[in-house]
Amino acid sequence: MTRLRALTATGIALTAAASAVLAGAGPAGAAIHSCSISGDPAVCANVTGIDAGSYLAVRTAPGYGAAESPVFGHHHNGDELGLICWTTGDPDADGHGYRYWMRVDNGIGDGYVNDWYLDTGGPNTWKSQIPQC
């Protein structure tokens, strides 16, 4: 009986640990949501993964050599951006090799950010919700 309790306790602990890991993973923590951009319905995501003292710049094209969009300010963790479509471009700036970019909208204009810095959950989550550019 003691061995059965030990095995049950171990199973519960492993299940709890796996749930905690999955909750912190990209797709499980995805937060694509409905929002309003200048009064129009939109699909949005929030900025995440930006180091303290840094910011996410919206670019005029899906690459870091492209100019910063003149109609966007600098974005920080938690800021909301409207998602128009996705494409590919330069890999993320942190060296993960992630090449998906989102065309984003703020109601005044649009631009591009690497999806690595949005809480979209990754391509398996958003490809069914957001069209390719």
Side-chain angles (χ1 to χ4, degrees), residues 36-88:
S36 176
I37 302 292
S38 295
D40 294 325
V43 174
C44 290
N46 291 28
V47 174
T48 188
I50 304 300
D51 292 334
S54 191
Y55 61 86
L56 179 64
V58 178
R59 305 282 176 181
T60 57
Y64 293 105
E68 288 188 27
S69 174
V71 298
F72 283 87
H74 295 157
H75 293 280
H76 301 91
N77 293 330
D79 289 352
E80 184 177 68
L81 293 171
L83 308 176
I84 299 171
C85 59
W86 66 271
T87 190
T88 55

Side-chain angles (χ1 to χ4, degrees), residues 2-16:
T2 303
R3 184 162 190 225
L4 180 57
R5 281 190 200 133
L7 289 173
T8 301
T10 301
I12 290 169
L14 289 174
T15 301

